[in-house]
Amino acid sequence: HPRPWRVRDRSTLIGDAAGYVTKCSGEGIYFAAKSGRMCAESIVTRSENGTRQIDDRDLFDYINKFDAKYGATYFVLDALQKLFYTSDAARESFVDLCELRYVQEVTFDSYLYKTVQGNNPIGDLALLGKTLSSLAKNNLSKPAPMRTLV
């Protein structure tokens, strides 16, 4: 989850320091490398190949590009965590949803391409219905008894 500030006094944060770790999976190597490269490219461009001193505005060029490319991904992952990692009933609903082929495909594609996938409005609508019904079922029903370990 990106930090509230990532640029200060002609310095900028990249990778894990900038908070570019996905909360749900803890994955961050791709985003660390990508943010480092995007920052370096912005510095080279904005400094006119090193012929002028950069300032905070120049560093925001990289931040704005990173946010434009990956901001939606972090927003969706944050929303999913807030929805499904708050109670046992919500976690059970998450498990229910993971059985769906559509969820598996969207998850795999999102992980592979590092952006939120799901370009099927019918599939997304069906997933919304399944999410709501699963959350209702798991929040309204009595939890299953704990198993005894032997």
Side-chain angles (χ1 to χ4, degrees):
H1 185 65
R3 305 264 185 255
W5 67 267
R6 291 167 279 167
V7 173
R8 184 171 291 163
D9 299 328
R10 294 182 45 235
S11 299
T12 189
L13 301 175
I14 61 171
D16 290 357
Y20 299 149
V21 176
T22 58
K23 287 183 175 183
C24 294
S25 69
E27 195 251 333
I29 288 294
Y30 173 84
F31 296 108
K34 188 67 172 179
S35 67
R37 182 179 185 123
M38 290 174 81
C39 182
E41 289 170 348
S42 287
I43 289 171
V44 168
T45 300
R46 302 289 291 212
S47 70
E48 299 168 9
N49 292 320
T51 61
R52 76 168 192 81
Q53 189 82 287
I54 61 166
D55 60 22
D56 286 3
R57 289 185 316 260
D58 296 315
L59 295 172
F60 274 109
D61 180 57
Y62 133 72
I63 297 292
N64 293 334
K65 287 177 182 174
F66 189 92
D67 289 349
K69 186 162 184 145
Y70 300 110
T73 300
Y74 284 96
F75 176 81
V76 168
L77 292 174
D78 188 49
L80 289 173
Q81 181 169 350
K82 288 177 180 171
L83 179 63
F84 290 116
Y85 290 84
T86 55
S87 68
D88 288 340
R91 283 185 282 279
E92 288 298 323
S93 296
F94 182 71
V95 171
D96 289 345
L97 296 176
C98 288
E99 295 174 350
L100 300 175
R101 181 173 179 85
Y102 181 68
V103 169
Q104 294 169 12
E105 290 172 353
V106 168
T107 301
F108 179 80
D109 288 346
S110 296
Y111 185 79
L112 181 65
Y113 300 113
K114 306 300 185 208
T115 57
V116 178
Q117 302 296 305
N119 300 318
N120 178 348
I122 303 284
D124 292 342
L125 194 56
L127 179 56
L128 175 62
K130 174 70 174 171
T131 301
L132 294 175
S133 66
S134 182
L135 285 168
K137 176 189 82 167
N138 287 313
N139 278 294
L140 298 174
S141 65
K142 184 179 174 188
M146 295 293 287
R147 295 179 295 183
T148 304
L149 298 176
V150 283

